[in-house]
Amino acid sequence: MQIIRSVQEMQALAYELRSKGQIIGLVPTMGALHEGHLSLIRLAAERADAVVVTIFVNPTQFAPNEDFNKYPRELEADVAKCAGAGADYVFAPTHEEIYPKGYSTYITEEHVAKPLEGVSRPTHFRGVTTVVAKLFNICRPDIAVFGQKDAQQVAVIQKMVADLNFPVDIVVGPTLREADGLAMSSRNRYLTPTQRQEALAISQALFKARDMVAAGERRKDRLVAEATHILSQQRRIRVIYVALVDRRTMEPVREVEPGNAVLAIAVWMEETRLIDNIVL
Ligand code: PAF
């Protein structure tokens, strides 16, 4: 497996792979890789001839008060994990490669990015769309794999790809969970054992909603009320939102239309922000 640090080298490689007719699969990450990421790499390896994993902690998607500085950086361990999961290349650029001095161009999706995460993190998706568009231009993928764990990120990127005619198929990998239900996330490592225990309420709330829908419940009010009730039992959790939304537009829906609705949750577990969701 090869590690690439410069944009120029990555673009030359992408050109060479494409001219040989190889299908390029891209898995964009910020590193601190866990099994959830590795499942996305395996998914890319099933569908592409050459798998490129990008590792870049993207400063533009963090607000000044967020965890950019403390976000875990462990390139060596990540590279070994990528190799084990079937990646062919790791593109790990420096900050200056992606945002050279004087950088001033940004991409903003103006609809899907607005609710939910967009309310409390108004500049977050501008950073995500900008860096993902750049990674598409640098790595020239045929497919790009993202995790359903970040449901709104998936919807925003799908909209950007459609609106800007990127010739990239977006593949969505399922959320991987720990045995007790907690969705895998690089931020779980910030949790103390007590916080981690209380955080189980998030997946319990989602699973309860799934069970209610299986039993015939469709109404947003009932599903959101029950999920909120489960979260409110935990002293350390502060709910940011519990919302039933359309999985593509992120607009609120009043009833579940099976397969098209997402119940999305964001909470503060004391100083750690956690998100999770379930497609209903
Ligand atoms: O999901 C992530 O890790 C990031 O938002 C992404 C897509 C790699 C862009 O920085």
Side-chain angles (χ1 to χ4, degrees):
M1 205 194 55
Q2 196 181 329
I3 303 170
I4 294 147
R5 305 286 290 186
S6 86
V7 168
Q8 201 185 7
E9 201 188 332
M10 186 64 235
Q11 278 181 317
L13 171 71
Y15 179 83
E16 185 194 324
L17 293 170
R18 292 182 78 87
S19 63
K20 286 189 199 149
Q22 298 219 353
I23 305 285
I24 301 177
L26 183 73
V27 186
T29 80
M30 297 204 299
L33 303 181
H34 51 68
E35 264 308 310
H37 295 110
L38 304 188
S39 72
L40 304 180
I41 298 172
R42 290 187 196 106
L43 194 54
E46 278 168 24
R47 302 190 182 204
D49 303 311
V51 174
V52 181
V53 178
T54 69
I55 298 180
F56 179 65
V57 185
N58 175 36
T60 60
Q61 67 189 75
F62 291 81
N65 59 331
E66 293 182 350
D67 56 343
F68 174 70
N69 286 328
K70 84 164 182 183
Y71 201 85
R73 287 153 173 91
E74 43 202 44
L75 186 61
E76 212 176 303
D78 284 343
V79 165
K81 289 177 190 171
C82 289
D88 300 291
Y89 305 94
V90 167
F91 176 50
T94 59
H95 177 279
E96 291 68 31
E97 281 290 310
I98 298 296
Y99 299 113
K101 197 164 180 297
Y103 186 87
S104 61
T105 303
Y106 294 88
I107 291 184
T108 316
E109 192 289 320
E110 301 199 344
H111 190 79
V112 184
K114 281 271 174 356
L116 307 180
E117 292 297 286
V119 174
S120 43
R121 307 183 73 196
T123 57
H124 171 67
F125 286 119
R126 171 184 185 260
V128 172
T129 45
T130 299
V131 82
V132 170
K134 284 174 68 74
L135 293 173
F136 285 176
N137 284 334
I138 296 165
C139 305
R140 307 269 315 277
D142 298 280
I143 66 164
V145 186
F146 295 87
Q148 175 61 29
K149 160 81 167 42
D150 295 303
Q152 189 173 11
Q153 171 169 279
V154 166
V156 169
I157 288 168
Q158 282 170 329
K159 189 67 168 49
M160 176 187 81
V161 163
D163 286 351
L164 297 183
N165 310 103
F166 278 105
V168 181
D169 277 344
I170 302 302
V171 175
V172 183
T175 303
L176 255 62
R177 297 182 180 281
E178 306 289 354
D180 56 11
L182 185 69
M184 291 186 188
S185 163
S186 305
R187 290 187 167 101
N188 289 350
R189 65 182 71 190
Y190 300 156
L191 303 174
T192 65
T194 315
Q195 290 171 338
R196 194 195 172 290
Q197 187 58 33
E198 287 203 15
L200 295 180
I202 303 166
S203 51
Q204 284 161 3
L206 295 172
F207 297 158
K208 176 71 182 182
R210 180 193 58 197
D211 295 347
M212 288 169 74
V213 170
E217 184 59 78
R218 293 282 180 274
R219 291 165 296 176
K220 175 200 88 175
D221 292 351
R222 294 295 315 131
L223 297 165
V224 168
E226 187 59 34
T228 308
H229 173 71
I230 292 171
L231 294 168
S232 69
Q233 305 298 298
Q234 304 305 326
R235 192 165 68 78
R236 292 174 176 77
I237 287 184
R238 188 154 54 84
V239 174
I240 303 168
Y241 57 76
V242 177
L244 187 72
V245 295
D246 179 280
R247 69 183 296 183
R248 292 210 163 257
T249 64
M250 295 289 128
E251 282 171 0
V253 295
R254 288 153 68 105
E255 287 212 339
V256 170
E257 190 193 307
N260 286 324
V262 168
L263 186 68
I265 291 178
V267 304
W268 281 109
M269 168 52 77
E270 299 192 316
E271 69 285 359
T272 302
R273 198 176 189 285
L274 299 173
I275 59 170
D276 197 356
N277 70 85
I278 198 162
V279 179
L280 296 173

PDB file of all heavy atoms in Angstrom, residues 169-196:
ATOM      1  N   ASP A 169     -20.472   8.067  -8.080  1.00  0.00           N
ATOM      2  CA  ASP A 169     -21.585   7.359  -7.431  1.00  0.00           C
ATOM      3  C   ASP A 169     -21.354   7.362  -5.928  1.00  0.00           C
ATOM      4  O   ASP A 169     -20.298   6.915  -5.473  1.00  0.00           O
ATOM      5  CB  ASP A 169     -21.623   5.889  -7.882  1.00  0.00           C
ATOM      6  CG  ASP A 169     -22.342   5.745  -9.195  1.00  0.00           C
ATOM      7  OD1 ASP A 169     -23.049   6.683  -9.589  1.00  0.00           O
ATOM      8  OD2 ASP A 169     -22.160   4.686  -9.824  1.00  0.00           O
ATOM      9  N   ILE A 170     -22.341   7.819  -5.184  1.00  0.00           N
ATOM     10  CA  ILE A 170     -22.210   7.820  -3.724  1.00  0.00           C
ATOM     11  C   ILE A 170     -22.780   6.508  -3.189  1.00  0.00           C
ATOM     12  O   ILE A 170     -23.941   6.170  -3.439  1.00  0.00           O
ATOM     13  CB  ILE A 170     -22.958   9.025  -3.104  1.00  0.00           C
ATOM     14  CG1 ILE A 170     -22.419  10.342  -3.681  1.00  0.00           C
ATOM     15  CG2 ILE A 170     -22.849   9.003  -1.578  1.00  0.00           C
ATOM     16  CD1 ILE A 170     -20.936  10.588  -3.475  1.00  0.00           C
ATOM     17  N   VAL A 171     -21.936   5.785  -2.470  1.00  0.00           N
ATOM     18  CA  VAL A 171     -22.339   4.506  -1.864  1.00  0.00           C
ATOM     19  C   VAL A 171     -22.419   4.745  -0.354  1.00  0.00           C
ATOM     20  O   VAL A 171     -21.530   5.376   0.220  1.00  0.00           O
ATOM     21  CB  VAL A 171     -21.296   3.412  -2.184  1.00  0.00           C
ATOM     22  CG1 VAL A 171     -21.631   2.109  -1.461  1.00  0.00           C
ATOM     23  CG2 VAL A 171     -21.190   3.192  -3.684  1.00  0.00           C
ATOM     24  N   VAL A 172     -23.508   4.265   0.249  1.00  0.00           N
ATOM     25  CA  VAL A 172     -23.700   4.511   1.685  1.00  0.00           C
ATOM     26  C   VAL A 172     -23.566   3.188   2.448  1.00  0.00           C
ATOM     27  O   VAL A 172     -24.293   2.231   2.178  1.00  0.00           O
ATOM     28  CB  VAL A 172     -25.081   5.146   1.951  1.00  0.00           C
ATOM     29  CG1 VAL A 172     -25.235   5.470   3.436  1.00  0.00           C
ATOM     30  CG2 VAL A 172     -25.255   6.403   1.101  1.00  0.00           C
ATOM     31  N   GLY A 173     -22.638   3.159   3.383  1.00  0.00           N
ATOM     32  CA  GLY A 173     -22.428   1.961   4.207  1.00  0.00           C
ATOM     33  C   GLY A 173     -23.223   2.065   5.492  1.00  0.00           C
ATOM     34  O   GLY A 173     -23.400   3.167   6.028  1.00  0.00           O
ATOM     35  N   PRO A 174     -23.715   0.929   6.003  1.00  0.00           N
ATOM     36  CA  PRO A 174     -24.534   0.961   7.218  1.00  0.00           C
ATOM     37  C   PRO A 174     -23.725   1.386   8.454  1.00  0.00           C
ATOM     38  O   PRO A 174     -22.506   1.232   8.482  1.00  0.00           O
ATOM     39  CB  PRO A 174     -25.002  -0.499   7.372  1.00  0.00           C
ATOM     40  CG  PRO A 174     -24.029  -1.311   6.591  1.00  0.00           C
ATOM     41  CD  PRO A 174     -23.500  -0.432   5.499  1.00  0.00           C
ATOM     42  N   THR A 175     -24.437   1.889   9.456  1.00  0.00           N
ATOM     43  CA  THR A 175     -23.796   2.260  10.728  1.00  0.00           C
ATOM     44  C   THR A 175     -23.364   0.997  11.455  1.00  0.00           C
ATOM     45  O   THR A 175     -24.165   0.077  11.636  1.00  0.00           O
ATOM     46  CB  THR A 175     -24.812   3.026  11.613  1.00  0.00           C
ATOM     47  OG1 THR A 175     -25.263   4.164  10.880  1.00  0.00           O
ATOM     48  CG2 THR A 175     -24.191   3.456  12.931  1.00  0.00           C
ATOM     49  N   LEU A 176     -22.106   0.960  11.863  1.00  0.00           N
ATOM     50  CA  LEU A 176     -21.665  -0.176  12.682  1.00  0.00           C
ATOM     51  C   LEU A 176     -21.816   0.190  14.154  1.00  0.00           C
ATOM     52  O   LEU A 176     -21.565   1.342  14.534  1.00  0.00           O
ATOM     53  CB  LEU A 176     -20.213  -0.542  12.367  1.00  0.00           C
ATOM     54  CG  LEU A 176     -20.080  -1.816  11.529  1.00  0.00           C
ATOM     55  CD1 LEU A 176     -20.748  -1.637  10.189  1.00  0.00           C
ATOM     56  CD2 LEU A 176     -18.642  -2.235  11.359  1.00  0.00           C
ATOM     57  N   ARG A 177     -22.251  -0.788  14.942  1.00  0.00           N
ATOM     58  CA  ARG A 177     -22.510  -0.545  16.357  1.00  0.00           C
ATOM     59  C   ARG A 177     -21.683  -1.482  17.223  1.00  0.00           C
ATOM     60  O   ARG A 177     -21.370  -2.596  16.811  1.00  0.00           O
ATOM     61  CB  ARG A 177     -24.005  -0.757  16.665  1.00  0.00           C
ATOM     62  CG  ARG A 177     -24.874   0.211  15.925  1.00  0.00           C
ATOM     63  CD  ARG A 177     -26.362   0.078  16.235  1.00  0.00           C
ATOM     64  NE  ARG A 177     -27.082   1.077  15.447  1.00  0.00           N
ATOM     65  CZ  ARG A 177     -27.157   2.364  15.764  1.00  0.00           C
ATOM     66  NH1 ARG A 177     -26.613   2.787  16.900  1.00  0.00           N
ATOM     67  NH2 ARG A 177     -27.777   3.217  14.988  1.00  0.00           N
ATOM     68  N   GLU A 178     -21.345  -1.011  18.422  1.00  0.00           N
ATOM     69  CA  GLU A 178     -20.740  -1.898  19.413  1.00  0.00           C
ATOM     70  C   GLU A 178     -21.800  -2.922  19.806  1.00  0.00           C
ATOM     71  O   GLU A 178     -22.994  -2.739  19.517  1.00  0.00           O
ATOM     72  CB  GLU A 178     -20.305  -1.104  20.651  1.00  0.00           C
ATOM     73  CG  GLU A 178     -19.390   0.074  20.362  1.00  0.00           C
ATOM     74  CD  GLU A 178     -17.975  -0.330  19.924  1.00  0.00           C
ATOM     75  OE1 GLU A 178     -17.646  -1.536  19.954  1.00  0.00           O
ATOM     76  OE2 GLU A 178     -17.218   0.562  19.518  1.00  0.00           O
ATOM     77  N   ALA A 179     -21.358  -3.998  20.501  1.00  0.00           N
ATOM     78  CA  ALA A 179     -22.290  -5.075  20.857  1.00  0.00           C
ATOM     79  C   ALA A 179     -23.480  -4.544  21.665  1.00  0.00           C
ATOM     80  O   ALA A 179     -24.595  -5.060  21.556  1.00  0.00           O
ATOM     81  CB  ALA A 179     -21.542  -6.146  21.642  1.00  0.00           C
ATOM     82  N   ASP A 180     -23.250  -3.483  22.459  1.00  0.00           N
ATOM     83  CA  ASP A 180     -24.348  -2.959  23.286  1.00  0.00           C
ATOM     84  C   ASP A 180     -25.175  -1.888  22.566  1.00  0.00           C
ATOM     85  O   ASP A 180     -26.060  -1.286  23.163  1.00  0.00           O
ATOM     86  CB  ASP A 180     -23.798  -2.418  24.621  1.00  0.00           C
ATOM     87  CG  ASP A 180     -22.721  -1.343  24.423  1.00  0.00           C
ATOM     88  OD1 ASP A 180     -22.542  -0.862  23.293  1.00  0.00           O
ATOM     89  OD2 ASP A 180     -22.061  -0.991  25.427  1.00  0.00           O
ATOM     90  N   GLY A 181     -24.882  -1.624  21.297  1.00  0.00           N
ATOM     91  CA  GLY A 181     -25.739  -0.723  20.512  1.00  0.00           C
ATOM     92  C   GLY A 181     -25.124   0.623  20.195  1.00  0.00           C
ATOM     93  O   GLY A 181     -25.563   1.303  19.258  1.00  0.00           O
ATOM     94  N   LEU A 182     -24.130   1.055  20.960  1.00  0.00           N
ATOM     95  CA  LEU A 182     -23.535   2.384  20.724  1.00  0.00           C
ATOM     96  C   LEU A 182     -22.954   2.457  19.309  1.00  0.00           C
ATOM     97  O   LEU A 182     -22.167   1.593  18.911  1.00  0.00           O
ATOM     98  CB  LEU A 182     -22.426   2.641  21.758  1.00  0.00           C
ATOM     99  CG  LEU A 182     -21.788   4.036  21.710  1.00  0.00           C
ATOM    100  CD1 LEU A 182     -22.768   5.111  22.172  1.00  0.00           C
ATOM    101  CD2 LEU A 182     -20.523   4.082  22.555  1.00  0.00           C
ATOM    102  N   ALA A 183     -23.339   3.477  18.552  1.00  0.00           N
ATOM    103  CA  ALA A 183     -22.805   3.634  17.196  1.00  0.00           C
ATOM    104  C   ALA A 183     -21.310   3.927  17.273  1.00  0.00           C
ATOM    105  O   ALA A 183     -20.866   4.726  18.101  1.00  0.00           O
ATOM    106  CB  ALA A 183     -23.521   4.788  16.495  1.00  0.00           C
ATOM    107  N   MET A 184     -20.532   3.259  16.414  1.00  0.00           N
ATOM    108  CA  MET A 184     -19.081   3.506  16.428  1.00  0.00           C
ATOM    109  C   MET A 184     -18.804   4.926  15.959  1.00  0.00           C
ATOM    110  O   MET A 184     -19.399   5.404  14.996  1.00  0.00           O
ATOM    111  CB  MET A 184     -18.378   2.510  15.528  1.00  0.00           C
ATOM    112  CG  MET A 184     -18.431   1.117  16.100  1.00  0.00           C
ATOM    113  SD  MET A 184     -17.451  -0.021  15.138  1.00  0.00           S
ATOM    114  CE  MET A 184     -17.942  -1.557  15.936  1.00  0.00           C
ATOM    115  N   SER A 185     -17.890   5.585  16.659  1.00  0.00           N
ATOM    116  CA  SER A 185     -17.533   6.965  16.331  1.00  0.00           C
ATOM    117  C   SER A 185     -16.151   7.241  16.893  1.00  0.00           C
ATOM    118  O   SER A 185     -15.813   6.754  17.987  1.00  0.00           O
ATOM    119  CB  SER A 185     -18.551   7.922  16.964  1.00  0.00           C
ATOM    120  OG  SER A 185     -18.028   9.236  17.005  1.00  0.00           O
ATOM    121  N   SER A 186     -15.395   8.043  16.164  1.00  0.00           N
ATOM    122  CA  SER A 186     -14.057   8.406  16.666  1.00  0.00           C
ATOM    123  C   SER A 186     -14.177   9.193  17.967  1.00  0.00           C
ATOM    124  O   SER A 186     -13.240   9.239  18.759  1.00  0.00           O
ATOM    125  CB  SER A 186     -13.311   9.247  15.631  1.00  0.00           C
ATOM    126  OG  SER A 186     -13.264   8.544  14.408  1.00  0.00           O
ATOM    127  N   ARG A 187     -15.318   9.838  18.176  1.00  0.00           N
ATOM    128  CA  ARG A 187     -15.480  10.664  19.381  1.00  0.00           C
ATOM    129  C   ARG A 187     -15.869   9.833  20.613  1.00  0.00           C
ATOM    130  O   ARG A 187     -15.866  10.374  21.718  1.00  0.00           O
ATOM    131  CB  ARG A 187     -16.509  11.767  19.133  1.00  0.00           C
ATOM    132  CG  ARG A 187     -15.997  12.831  18.155  1.00  0.00           C
ATOM    133  CD  ARG A 187     -16.925  14.011  18.022  1.00  0.00           C
ATOM    134  NE  ARG A 187     -16.298  15.133  17.340  1.00  0.00           N
ATOM    135  CZ  ARG A 187     -16.494  15.450  16.055  1.00  0.00           C
ATOM    136  NH1 ARG A 187     -17.323  14.740  15.321  1.00  0.00           N
ATOM    137  NH2 ARG A 187     -15.872  16.481  15.518  1.00  0.00           N
ATOM    138  N   ASN A 188     -16.197   8.549  20.431  1.00  0.00           N
ATOM    139  CA  ASN A 188     -16.553   7.732  21.608  1.00  0.00           C
ATOM    140  C   ASN A 188     -15.387   7.651  22.586  1.00  0.00           C
ATOM    141  O   ASN A 188     -15.584   7.452  23.779  1.00  0.00           O
ATOM    142  CB  ASN A 188     -16.961   6.313  21.194  1.00  0.00           C
ATOM    143  CG  ASN A 188     -18.307   6.285  20.492  1.00  0.00           C
ATOM    144  OD1 ASN A 188     -19.019   7.296  20.472  1.00  0.00           O
ATOM    145  ND2 ASN A 188     -18.647   5.157  19.896  1.00  0.00           N
ATOM    146  N   ARG A 189     -14.176   7.807  22.071  1.00  0.00           N
ATOM    147  CA  ARG A 189     -13.018   7.691  22.963  1.00  0.00           C
ATOM    148  C   ARG A 189     -12.938   8.852  23.952  1.00  0.00           C
ATOM    149  O   ARG A 189     -12.194   8.791  24.916  1.00  0.00           O
ATOM    150  CB  ARG A 189     -11.723   7.560  22.172  1.00  0.00           C
ATOM    151  CG  ARG A 189     -11.383   8.778  21.370  1.00  0.00           C
ATOM    152  CD  ARG A 189     -10.120   8.576  20.584  1.00  0.00           C
ATOM    153  NE  ARG A 189     -10.309   7.640  19.481  1.00  0.00           N
ATOM    154  CZ  ARG A 189      -9.322   7.140  18.758  1.00  0.00           C
ATOM    155  NH1 ARG A 189      -8.081   7.427  19.056  1.00  0.00           N
ATOM    156  NH2 ARG A 189      -9.564   6.343  17.746  1.00  0.00           N
ATOM    157  N   TYR A 190     -13.689   9.924  23.703  1.00  0.00           N
ATOM    158  CA  TYR A 190     -13.719  11.025  24.679  1.00  0.00           C
ATOM    159  C   TYR A 190     -14.548  10.655  25.919  1.00  0.00           C
ATOM    160  O   TYR A 190     -14.505  11.349  26.924  1.00  0.00           O
ATOM    161  CB  TYR A 190     -14.374  12.282  24.086  1.00  0.00           C
ATOM    162  CG  TYR A 190     -13.738  12.896  22.861  1.00  0.00           C
ATOM    163  CD1 TYR A 190     -14.508  13.679  22.001  1.00  0.00           C
ATOM    164  CD2 TYR A 190     -12.392  12.742  22.566  1.00  0.00           C
ATOM    165  CE1 TYR A 190     -13.948  14.282  20.873  1.00  0.00           C
ATOM    166  CE2 TYR A 190     -11.831  13.334  21.444  1.00  0.00           C
ATOM    167  CZ  TYR A 190     -12.612  14.098  20.603  1.00  0.00           C
ATOM    168  OH  TYR A 190     -12.070  14.701  19.495  1.00  0.00           O
ATOM    169  N   LEU A 191     -15.376   9.595  25.822  1.00  0.00           N
ATOM    170  CA  LEU A 191     -16.349   9.302  26.884  1.00  0.00           C
ATOM    171  C   LEU A 191     -15.714   8.578  28.061  1.00  0.00           C
ATOM    172  O   LEU A 191     -14.929   7.646  27.868  1.00  0.00           O
ATOM    173  CB  LEU A 191     -17.500   8.447  26.331  1.00  0.00           C
ATOM    174  CG  LEU A 191     -18.273   9.027  25.150  1.00  0.00           C
ATOM    175  CD1 LEU A 191     -19.292   7.999  24.629  1.00  0.00           C
ATOM    176  CD2 LEU A 191     -18.980  10.326  25.539  1.00  0.00           C
ATOM    177  N   THR A 192     -16.085   8.981  29.269  1.00  0.00           N
ATOM    178  CA  THR A 192     -15.706   8.219  30.461  1.00  0.00           C
ATOM    179  C   THR A 192     -16.598   6.978  30.500  1.00  0.00           C
ATOM    180  O   THR A 192     -17.650   6.950  29.830  1.00  0.00           O
ATOM    181  CB  THR A 192     -15.951   9.032  31.746  1.00  0.00           C
ATOM    182  OG1 THR A 192     -17.376   9.236  31.858  1.00  0.00           O
ATOM    183  CG2 THR A 192     -15.239  10.381  31.725  1.00  0.00           C
ATOM    184  N   PRO A 193     -16.231   5.956  31.311  1.00  0.00           N
ATOM    185  CA  PRO A 193     -17.102   4.771  31.385  1.00  0.00           C
ATOM    186  C   PRO A 193     -18.543   5.124  31.765  1.00  0.00           C
ATOM    187  O   PRO A 193     -19.494   4.562  31.216  1.00  0.00           O
ATOM    188  CB  PRO A 193     -16.416   3.916  32.453  1.00  0.00           C
ATOM    189  CG  PRO A 193     -14.969   4.315  32.385  1.00  0.00           C
ATOM    190  CD  PRO A 193     -14.966   5.777  32.040  1.00  0.00           C
ATOM    191  N   THR A 194     -18.721   6.070  32.673  1.00  0.00           N
ATOM    192  CA  THR A 194     -20.096   6.440  33.080  1.00  0.00           C
ATOM    193  C   THR A 194     -20.831   7.119  31.928  1.00  0.00           C
ATOM    194  O   THR A 194     -22.009   6.830  31.665  1.00  0.00           O
ATOM    195  CB  THR A 194     -20.057   7.417  34.283  1.00  0.00           C
ATOM    196  OG1 THR A 194     -19.117   6.922  35.220  1.00  0.00           O
ATOM    197  CG2 THR A 194     -21.414   7.591  34.911  1.00  0.00           C
ATOM    198  N   GLN A 195     -20.145   8.020  31.241  1.00  0.00           N
ATOM    199  CA  GLN A 195     -20.782   8.702  30.099  1.00  0.00           C
ATOM    200  C   GLN A 195     -21.123   7.693  29.005  1.00  0.00           C
ATOM    201  O   GLN A 195     -22.190   7.760  28.396  1.00  0.00           O
ATOM    202  CB  GLN A 195     -19.830   9.768  29.526  1.00  0.00           C
ATOM    203  CG  GLN A 195     -19.626  10.962  30.435  1.00  0.00           C
ATOM    204  CD  GLN A 195     -18.521  11.874  29.935  1.00  0.00           C
ATOM    205  OE1 GLN A 195     -17.638  11.466  29.172  1.00  0.00           O
ATOM    206  NE2 GLN A 195     -18.539  13.113  30.376  1.00  0.00           N
ATOM    207  N   ARG A 196     -20.206   6.775  28.781  1.00  0.00           N
ATOM    208  CA  ARG A 196     -20.434   5.767  27.734  1.00  0.00           C
ATOM    209  C   ARG A 196     -21.673   4.935  28.057  1.00  0.00           C
ATOM    210  O   ARG A 196     -22.477   4.608  27.188  1.00  0.00           O
ATOM    211  CB  ARG A 196     -19.203   4.874  27.586  1.00  0.00           C
ATOM    212  CG  ARG A 196     -19.233   4.046  26.309  1.00  0.00           C
ATOM    213  CD  ARG A 196     -18.238   2.924  26.317  1.00  0.00           C
ATOM    214  NE  ARG A 196     -18.451   2.084  25.157  1.00  0.00           N
ATOM    215  CZ  ARG A 196     -19.504   1.291  24.986  1.00  0.00           C
ATOM    216  NH1 ARG A 196     -20.475   1.233  25.896  1.00  0.00           N
ATOM    217  NH2 ARG A 196     -19.635   0.572  23.888  1.00  0.00           N
TER     218      ARG A 196
END
